Amino acid sequence: MELLHDVLLFLHFLGLASLFGGLFVQVRSSPRVVNNAMFHGILTQLVTGVLLVGVLEAAKGESWADEIDNAKIGVKLVVAVVIAVLIVLNRKRPAISDGIYFTLAGLTVLNIGVAVFWH
């Protein structure tokens, strides 16, 4: 079970890298678009995040399993769903506005901040 947790966490970080990298390469692009890295990154983040919570719930009481802060997980899930909705709605457009781009970037950084600083 611990190995499954570690694999899911690794995949969760890869999803983050894909989402953030997809946003980062758009900084100087004109026009900015929703690319496949962003799309697949947020989907990976959502799926692995939900699975990670499930694994931790199933492993309650194990020495390696952290306690789950449901408020933190709820905030992260809501932010990730908003990111996913914005990405899916704008995926086929030939360009996205600066407002959408900076909203996506800000929400991504917010989600990272919640993960790191919320104890």
Side-chain angles (χ1 to χ4, degrees):
M1 196 75 124
E2 186 176 4
L3 177 62
L4 177 60
H5 172 267
D6 292 344
V7 168
L8 287 171
L9 188 60
F10 179 76
L11 292 173
H12 195 67
F13 288 150
L14 288 180
L16 171 63
S18 178
L19 173 60
F20 192 74
L23 284 162
F24 191 72
V25 299
Q26 296 293 317
V27 168
R28 293 191 166 224
S29 294
S30 182
R32 292 186 176 118
V33 296
V34 171
N35 56 35
N36 284 335
M38 294 160 60
F39 177 71
H40 294 292
I42 192 60
L43 291 183
T44 301
Q45 286 255 281
L46 282 169
V47 170
T48 57
V50 169
L51 291 174
L52 275 166
V53 171
V55 167
L56 288 173
E57 280 289 337
K60 273 188 177 172
E62 297 287 331
S63 61
W64 57 269
D66 296 330
E67 279 294 314
I68 297 173
D69 184 344
N70 289 320
K72 175 182 176 178
I73 297 303
V75 168
K76 286 186 57 57
L77 179 61
V78 168
V79 172
V81 167
V82 171
I83 293 169
V85 167
L86 287 173
I87 286 174
V88 168
L89 290 177
N90 291 285
R91 184 170 183 223
K92 300 294 183 186
R93 294 192 179 182
I96 59 172
S97 69
D98 287 347
I100 295 292
Y101 173 77
F102 287 112
T103 299
L104 288 169
L107 288 172
T108 299
V109 171
L110 172 67
N111 230 7
I112 296 167
V114 169
V116 171
F117 295 112
W118 187 327
H119 296 283

